[in-house]
Amino acid sequence: MIARYRPPVPGLLLGSLAAISLLLAACQGSRPPAQPSPTPTLPHLSTPTLSPSPTPTLAPSPTPALSPSPTTAAPTIATPADPASLISGDEAYRHVLALADDIGSRTAGSEAEAAAADYIAGQLASYGYDATLEPFEMNLYVEPESALEVLSPEPVSLEPRALRLSAAGDATGELTAAGLGGPQDFPAEGITGRVALLERGELNFSDKVANAAAAGAVAVIIYNDEEGAFRGDLEEESSIPAVGVSQAEGQRLLALLAEEPVTVLLSVQGGSPRTETSRNVVARPPDGRCEEVVAAHYDSVEAGPGANDNASGTAVLLETARVLAASGDGEGVCFVAFGAEEVGLFGSRSFVDGLSADERQALRGMVNVDMVGVGDQWQLFGSEGLVQDVDGEAASLGLDPAPAEAPTGLSSDYRSFMDAGIPAVLIHRVDDPRYHSSEDKAQFVKPQALQEAAELTLLTLRLLGQP
Ligand code: BES
Ligand code: ZN
């Protein structure tokens, strides 16, 4: 799977020799022959004037640049160094503060997500990259607001969840229990103007709701046939509002109904599909072709500031970009911060869909950095060969990651690349107790973990063919 692997030492040696000869040339007052631009060793970098940081005030760096900026250094005294030696966990951590503390929750399509994109583009530009925002559209389904009140014989508030694709609307009516909702379960005279109470099971939700509507019902309540709440999916939009309730709430309604008539008010509001815009932040080489992609999603869930998920990975992406620029390495590497991962991998799907056949061919692999600041154990998911190679070499960094199957139901942007046949690896740290919660805060992210994640990222790039 690995296209080519060059051991680090000879490359470093060559780099050092090049540095020495450049220094000698500088001391002798002569310029080396091939110096066409101010950034000869960094063909993927833009000129400094192109991309001023749009958000300089967001996160003032506590540590001044550790190494000369590639766009300001005099070319003749450039000192190529091993990029790994330039990594600073503290420098990366300030991005976590900027994204999670200063900007906060960065839900897909929100203004905060857009502000985060500007921040990332600004940082990449400050390292000398030509960073662009690449917008894309996404179709989101927003779960509707729903309510269910018993009006008589006594007021009771229940906790319904609208079925996906339920019609919106308010309905008031007397309740009629009609078993599982098969056609034969409804009274022959119909239930015109009434609300059907049905048990989950046997028939699919769409058939139950259609049968109730055919019998004249104005709304449907389906209670679970096992413990707990649920959210059912309809196959297509229903003609009447339909909600699900827990088994306990269903039994409560049945018990009331056994005593006397029950009138309910049911309401489903919103929930229609809507289209939102998000954007990827992309730094490409001038020829636009990526040989390797370093990627992290920068959006978060609504619940919290997404410090570990995934300001941490974004910070590592930026730090990797910084050290590769500073060392003069990283030719052919693209840095891509994905939007809208948390609502369905939209950013990475859009990026992969946008690759031409040639670009796809040129792309050797992708490193996905996601949730790398909390927990104690490194884990690697993804393409088998690549995962094995990174695992095999990680000991050279003093690290011992565990290759693993991705936990069921959990996903990240590396999947979009694997689905397109591009080798990809997810670098991840296990067990964040604050995953997707309001407590996913910067204070729990460890700079040392960011440092190690950046080292693993550089290692993976080398395995994919970077010198
Ligand atoms: N970072 C998580 C995924 C993750 C969690 C990977 C734990 C490995 C271990 C990611 O941001 C996430 O929550 N993804 C969603 C994606 C889905 C909406 C396509 C998920 O897995 O539920
Ligand atoms: Zn994530």
Side-chain angles (χ1 to χ4, degrees):
M1 264 308 171
I2 306 303
R4 57 192 163 98
Y5 170 56
R6 291 191 218 133
V9 178
L12 186 60
L13 194 62
L14 284 177
S16 310
L17 290 174
I20 292 165
S21 63
L22 281 174
L23 275 171
L24 281 176
C27 293
Q28 291 158 2
S30 65
R31 293 176 72 86
Q35 299 289 327
S37 82
T39 53
T41 58
L42 305 167
H44 58 308
L45 297 177
S46 68
T47 53
T49 49
L50 272 178
S51 313
S53 169
T55 52
T57 52
L58 262 177
S61 169
T63 49
L66 288 177
S67 46
S69 155
T71 52
T72 51
T76 49
I77 54 163
T79 53
D82 176 5
S85 70
L86 302 176
I87 297 170
S88 160
D90 291 336
E91 183 73 10
Y93 185 72
R94 76 184 184 87
H95 303 305
V96 176
L97 290 174
L99 293 164
D101 267 15
D102 296 351
I103 297 177
S105 172
R106 306 171 297 285
T107 321
S110 67
E111 280 179 22
E113 195 204 33
D118 287 345
Y119 172 80
I120 295 160
Q123 295 299 305
L124 287 169
S126 77
Y127 308 144
Y129 295 94
D130 195 3
T132 54
L133 301 180
E134 300 187 356
F136 55 87
E137 298 216 316
M138 54 194 161
N139 294 321
L140 295 179
Y141 177 82
V142 193
E143 196 178 337
E145 299 279 323
S146 51
L148 177 58
E149 308 283 340
V150 175
L151 301 177
S152 70
E154 62 197 49
V156 184
S157 282
L158 302 174
E159 289 183 10
R161 298 190 74 182
L163 301 192
R164 192 181 149 91
L165 295 181
S166 162
D170 294 340
T172 306
E174 266 189 42
L175 212 53
T176 297
L180 288 162
Q184 72 289 350
D185 292 327
F186 294 92
E189 69 274 18
I191 56 167
T192 304
R194 300 170 76 97
V195 175
L197 176 62
L198 311 178
E199 185 179 5
R200 185 180 183 187
E202 277 188 33
L203 296 174
N204 71 32
F205 295 121
S206 288
D207 288 345
K208 286 175 193 274
V209 176
N211 292 341
V218 289
V220 178
I221 303 165
I222 299 174
Y223 61 93
N224 208 349
D225 57 352
E226 56 186 31
E227 219 178 290
F230 72 101
R231 190 166 74 84
D233 284 358
L234 293 167
E235 284 164 354
E236 55 189 39
E237 191 169 343
S238 57
S239 58
I240 52 175
V243 299
V245 296
S246 67
Q247 188 177 43
E249 290 194 341
Q251 282 164 352
R252 186 159 182 198
L253 290 171
L254 287 171
L256 283 173
L257 203 52
E259 299 293 320
E260 53 194 316
V262 176
T263 305
V264 297
L265 165 66
L266 187 152
S267 164
V268 174
Q269 297 303 333
S272 51
R274 65 187 165 94
T275 301
E276 293 273 0
T277 302
S278 175
R279 60 220 48 78
N280 295 330
V281 187
V282 188
R284 297 175 193 269
D287 69 359
R289 275 156 65 105
C290 310
E291 290 172 15
E292 298 86 12
V293 166
V294 176
H297 75 88
Y298 67 92
D299 65 314
S300 76
V301 292
E302 196 174 353
N308 190 36
D309 189 8
N310 189 29
S312 69
T314 310
V316 168
L317 176 152
L318 289 172
E319 181 60 0
T320 308
R322 186 184 71 81
V323 300
L324 285 175
S327 69
D329 293 308
E331 193 177 338
V333 178
C334 288
F335 299 91
V336 190
F338 292 123
E341 185 264 3
E342 297 284 8
V343 290
L345 313 181
F346 283 97
S348 49
R349 297 247 183 261
S350 158
F351 181 84
V352 169
D353 287 350
L355 293 173
S356 67
D358 274 1
E359 287 169 337
R360 205 172 283 217
Q361 195 82 36
L363 185 49
R364 295 192 195 111
M366 179 265 199
V367 195
N368 189 179
V369 201
D370 194 353
M371 298 180 73
V372 288
V374 172
D376 296 316
Q377 172 68 52
W378 287 110
Q379 224 168 34
L380 305 168
F381 309 140
S383 309
E384 213 184 321
L386 185 55
V387 166
Q388 273 170 13
D389 287 359
V390 179
D391 185 42
E393 289 290 319
S396 66
L397 302 172
L399 302 176
D400 184 20
E405 288 292 309
T408 1
L410 290 175
S411 193
S412 191
D413 297 304
Y414 73 106
R415 292 256 180 209
S416 306
F417 287 71
M418 283 183 71
D419 288 350
I422 299 161
V425 62
L426 175 71
I427 296 175
H428 165 72
R429 233 163 137 95
V430 268
D431 281 342
D432 181 355
R434 292 167 289 269
Y435 171 58
H436 282 186
S437 82
S438 58
E439 286 303 295
D440 182 6
K441 294 179 179 167
Q443 70 199 79
F444 302 113
V445 169
K446 295 179 262 196
Q448 174 62 25
L450 304 180
Q451 167 104 24
E452 292 174 13
E455 289 170 5
L456 282 166
T457 303
L458 287 181
L459 172 74
T460 311
L461 287 176
R462 268 211 315 267
L463 290 167
L464 285 170
Q466 275 294 305

